[in-house]
Amino acid sequence: ALPDEVFSSIVIDLPFIIRKSATKNSMIENRFAAFETKAEMFQVNTDMLSLAFRLLKNEGILVLKTQDINFAGQQIFTHQFVMNEAVRIGYVIEDLFILTATRFLQQQAAVDQRHARKVHSYFLVLRKS
């Protein structure tokens, strides 16, 4: 129940994993929080962008960390979705930083790897206009 336009800056770091099953036998899925579906992941990103927009003062800065993923043989470009939603909501995209992991958890070997492994994160710098 915070009032509108109270913060000059906000940082958001949401989960980026979609949990594949209820067995939770993946080291990565056990280590990090996860969404149940792709739709839930997109909805939470949209909801957080909207909430931050309400809470930011005019010209306030939002830094949102996100990561693209491969899920069920499909590439999900989360950063692109977030950027499009941010502009739709009313943000100006000020900058984009890409952080490449120097170490990462190994997944089980893929029998038929279809896409490049995602080992980088995006830090989107958005300004409320």
Side-chain angles (χ1 to χ4, degrees):
L2 290 169
D4 294 351
E5 300 183 350
V6 292
F7 296 113
S8 298
S9 61
I10 297 174
V11 176
I12 296 174
D13 181 5
L14 294 172
F16 59 89
I17 295 170
I18 300 170
R19 196 170 309 284
K20 293 181 183 177
S21 66
T23 61
K24 301 178 184 177
N25 59 358
S26 164
M27 184 179 1
I28 292 173
E29 289 179 11
N30 288 331
R31 184 171 178 188
F32 299 104
F35 295 106
E36 294 298 322
T37 65
K38 182 171 80 168
E40 179 189 23
M41 180 181 69
F42 285 155
Q43 187 62 56
V44 170
N45 274 277
T46 297
D47 292 347
M48 292 304 290
L49 284 167
S50 296
L51 176 62
F53 195 85
R54 180 182 70 78
L55 295 175
L56 280 171
K57 296 176 182 177
N58 194 35
E59 302 300 318
I61 297 293
L62 169 62
V63 176
L64 189 142
K65 179 180 178 263
T66 190
Q67 184 171 336
D68 298 337
I69 61 171
N70 295 322
F71 176 71
Q74 176 185 19
Q75 300 222 56
I76 301 174
F77 296 106
T78 310
H79 87 280
Q80 186 177 31
F81 172 83
V82 170
M83 290 174 74
N84 290 339
E85 281 295 286
V87 169
R88 183 188 65 77
I89 290 168
Y91 289 97
V92 173
I93 300 170
E94 290 291 338
D95 215 333
L96 170 95
F97 294 86
I98 301 172
L99 175 66
T100 303
T102 56
R103 294 180 295 154
F104 48 89
L105 295 173
Q106 294 293 327
Q107 293 178 323
Q108 294 177 347
V111 175
D112 183 21
Q113 183 174 342
R114 297 181 186 144
H115 305 290
R117 181 126 190 257
K118 309 300 184 232
V119 294
H120 58 278
S121 298
Y122 297 92
F123 289 83
L124 304 174
V125 180
L126 309 170
R127 181 175 44 84
K128 178 180 178 178
S129 62

